[in-house]
Amino acid sequence: MSDLTTQQPYADLNPDTVLDALEAAGFVVDGRLLALNSFENRVYQVGVDDGPPVIAKFYRPARWSDEAIAEEHAFCRELAEHEIPVVAPLELPGGGTLARHAGYRFAVFPRRGGRAPELDRSDTLEWIGRFMGRIHALGAVKPYLHRPTLDIASFGDEPAAYVLDGGFVPPELEKVYRGVVAQALDSVRAAFERAGEVTRIRTHGDCHVGNMLWVDGQGPHFVDFDDSRMAPAIQDLWMLLSGDRADRARQLGDVLAGYEEFCDFDLRELHLIEALRTLRLIHHSGWIARRWQDPAFPAAFPWFDTPRYWEARILELREQIAVMDEAPLWLAPGMR
């Protein structure tokens, strides 16, 4: 992935451009347009004359190659063909799933209704676990060739260096942040060493509650595979866990009860839960920093360039360092 090539990558993406793009792709639009909440890409609900509205996603320029987007689309469609409830891109009237218009690349998805799943319910977690097991069973069949792997370098070392070298951390906090993030990354490396050689598979990559739609009687629908990459299976499971240690252990048991009906889980990956959480925290700050020239980001994250933000990140990382020294969440027989 490369940095942005322009400071305002969506400056020319206005409502007329969006509607013209859908028309050029073969849809008969009716003029209704609703911008949806998205920062990395631009996403719109678009009304069409001959059916329900569709969702159009305009990809951030220069982020993914065409080949990487094609792999994401192929994986989603493969999952859908196996009756796994993912929201896959539509085959466009002109063929293919990726289109271009006015310098932008976009895909079109069916609109799915639903609500956030209730992750405090054991039956909900087990249901999600069953589908996640099916996703991973298929994800393990072959690797991505053009999409990245979640690793310490790209999710930890590089974003940490970017915010420090770019002067995003206030001068009075820079030395403290530099030391804490270095210590946190050392703990992450130690956690990966304890886990050993775990298998990387095709994953959703960002499977938090906001990327699932719950439909009564149907269960979860998984959306937005934009961050899909090669990663340990636990990357798609740890974000389902919340609360204190006892709560998270119970939730993990519920998820794995469903998951292992379809896919074996390597218990060594439990060493990685807090390490992956730490990498996500470091990566998130780097993500905002890399997008800071996009006008949408200062508006959405006005606190990012304040001392309070970085003080909170320092405290957060110190807490993670302590947690990574603890035993895995669910210590199984034979684990160390």
Side-chain angles (χ1 to χ4, degrees):
M1 292 185 291
S2 60
D3 287 339
L4 302 180
T5 55
T6 62
Q7 291 189 341
Q8 299 185 36
Y10 293 107
D12 298 325
L13 189 62
N14 55 49
D16 286 341
T17 304
V18 172
L19 295 175
D20 289 346
L22 271 290
E23 288 275 11
F27 293 88
V28 181
V29 301
D30 62 13
R32 292 176 297 161
L33 185 68
L34 176 65
L36 303 180
N37 186 29
S38 178
F39 295 109
E40 185 63 11
N41 304 297
R42 295 296 184 267
V43 182
Y44 303 89
Q45 178 177 296
V46 183
V48 295
D49 277 342
D50 54 353
V54 295
I55 305 300
K57 178 164 75 173
F58 288 77
Y59 288 91
R60 179 171 290 271
R63 182 176 182 232
W64 295 119
S65 67
D66 287 358
E67 292 81 5
I69 295 174
E71 281 192 323
E72 173 211 337
H73 289 186
F75 185 36
C76 288
R77 291 175 67 84
E78 186 180 1
L79 293 168
E81 287 167 3
H82 284 77
E83 299 183 343
I84 298 171
V86 303
V87 181
L90 296 171
E91 181 80 15
L92 298 172
T97 57
L98 183 65
R100 293 178 179 271
H101 182 79
Y104 294 101
R105 295 172 299 170
F106 68 96
V108 182
F109 299 79
R111 186 173 72 94
R112 289 283 183 270
R115 55 181 171 82
E118 299 174 6
L119 297 184
D120 58 342
R121 292 176 56 105
S122 294
D123 56 344
T124 294
L125 289 170
E126 188 171 342
W127 202 337
I128 293 171
R130 285 195 294 272
F131 278 124
M132 191 54 66
R134 293 178 62 190
I135 290 172
H136 286 177
L138 200 59
V141 170
K142 62 183 180 181
Y144 279 137
L145 300 179
H146 300 283
R147 298 186 74 82
T149 296
L150 194 163
D151 56 27
I152 299 171
S154 62
F155 261 63
D157 296 327
E158 291 175 10
Y162 190 88
V163 300
L164 286 164
D165 295 345
F168 291 95
V169 182
E172 66 272 22
L173 296 173
E174 180 181 342
K175 183 177 180 180
V176 177
Y177 183 79
R178 187 181 298 274
V180 169
V181 79
Q183 187 178 355
L185 288 171
D186 285 343
S187 294
V188 168
R189 280 184 270 271
F192 272 83
E193 289 173 5
R194 289 193 293 270
E197 289 296 325
V198 297
T199 301
R200 270 76 170 176
I201 61 173
R202 292 178 295 174
T203 62
H204 181 287
D206 193 26
C207 196
H208 57 76
V209 67
N211 280 336
M212 285 181 282
L213 296 172
W214 190 268
V215 180
D216 291 335
Q218 299 179 26
H221 287 68
F222 300 89
V223 303
D224 194 4
F225 279 68
D226 193 60
D227 284 308
S228 183
R229 64 192 65 230
M230 300 294 291
I234 193 65
Q235 170 64 14
D236 279 346
L237 306 182
W238 72 262
M239 280 181 266
L240 302 174
L241 315 179
S242 62
D244 62 23
R245 185 179 177 90
D247 288 335
R248 287 181 281 122
R250 175 189 59 78
Q251 294 159 3
L252 178 62
D254 292 336
V255 171
L256 291 181
Y259 184 94
E260 292 203 305
E261 292 182 26
F262 296 95
C263 190
D264 291 334
F265 179 75
D266 184 350
L267 291 175
R268 296 178 303 163
E269 293 189 21
L270 297 181
H271 286 289
L272 302 180
I273 290 177
E274 296 304 329
L276 290 168
R277 190 191 310 276
T278 303
L279 290 177
R280 183 176 177 84
L281 295 172
I282 295 170
H283 183 268
H284 186 259
S285 293
W287 172 68
I288 298 174
R290 288 184 184 276
R291 302 294 186 248
W292 198 241
Q293 297 303 317
D294 181 336
F297 277 73
F301 306 100
W303 54 85
F304 177 71
D305 59 352
T306 67
R308 178 177 294 183
Y309 173 87
W310 294 100
E311 288 167 355
R313 302 291 76 74
I314 289 167
L315 177 59
E316 199 171 51
L317 290 176
R318 283 175 172 160
E319 292 172 346
Q320 285 302 115
I321 291 166
V323 173
M324 283 187 283
D325 283 340
E326 297 178 359
L329 180 61
W330 185 38
L331 189 60
M335 288 187 63
R336 293 182 296 165

